[in-house]
Amino acid sequence: MSGMEKRSDTGDVTRFSGSATNEQVVEALRTQYEATNLAKWTLGQIVALARRRGISWAEIGEALGGITKQAAQRKYAPVIAAERETEERKVADLLRLSEDHAEILRSWESPTA
């Protein structure tokens, strides 16, 4: 894993679990859950940036641990599409466009998918 170690041992968790209160364990769960969600969101943003820069799905898949381009596309294309729709709605609202005009704006989508 270029530059990062895989953690295969649970030594830190085992040492922690012996002295932690239930409240500390629950707080650790909550903190890890939030960190995981932030990491997933950040990863999606970086994948979207890679696509905007023209990086292929195959290269993205390789960077994501060697998954196939199809798997990368299945996982992240919906995230990118939802982000694009949100941005288009913001622009339409800002410009006070009607739904018909907003649809025209959406039809100008670049064919980079």
Side-chain angles (χ1 to χ4, degrees):
M1 290 188 70
S2 65
M4 296 194 307
E5 292 180 36
K6 275 191 174 178
R7 296 213 29 122
S8 60
D9 67 274
T10 58
D12 291 342
V13 174
T14 303
R15 282 192 296 277
F16 171 76
S17 66
S19 61
T21 65
N22 286 352
E23 291 80 15
Q24 288 171 319
V25 171
V26 170
E27 184 57 31
L29 281 170
R30 184 174 293 112
T31 300
Q32 186 59 51
Y33 176 78
E34 291 170 0
T36 299
N37 283 336
L38 178 59
K40 287 177 181 179
W41 179 84
T42 302
L43 186 57
Q45 296 300 304
I46 295 169
V47 170
L49 172 63
R51 290 298 298 148
R52 284 193 302 272
R53 291 193 172 191
I55 297 172
S56 71
W57 283 111
E59 194 170 353
I60 291 169
E62 182 59 36
L64 294 173
I67 65 174
T68 66
K69 66 181 182 180
Q70 292 87 352
Q73 200 168 13
R74 264 193 310 276
K75 185 168 185 172
Y76 292 101
V79 173
I80 294 168
E83 180 183 287
R84 184 180 303 129
E85 286 179 26
T86 298
E87 291 303 313
E88 289 169 355
R89 268 194 299 278
K90 287 178 185 177
V91 169
D93 289 346
L94 181 65
L95 298 175
R96 300 186 197 293
L97 296 178
S98 69
E99 186 55 40
D100 289 338
H101 288 112
E103 185 60 37
I104 292 168
L105 179 66
R106 282 190 286 279
S107 72
W108 292 347
E109 177 180 316
S110 64
T112 60

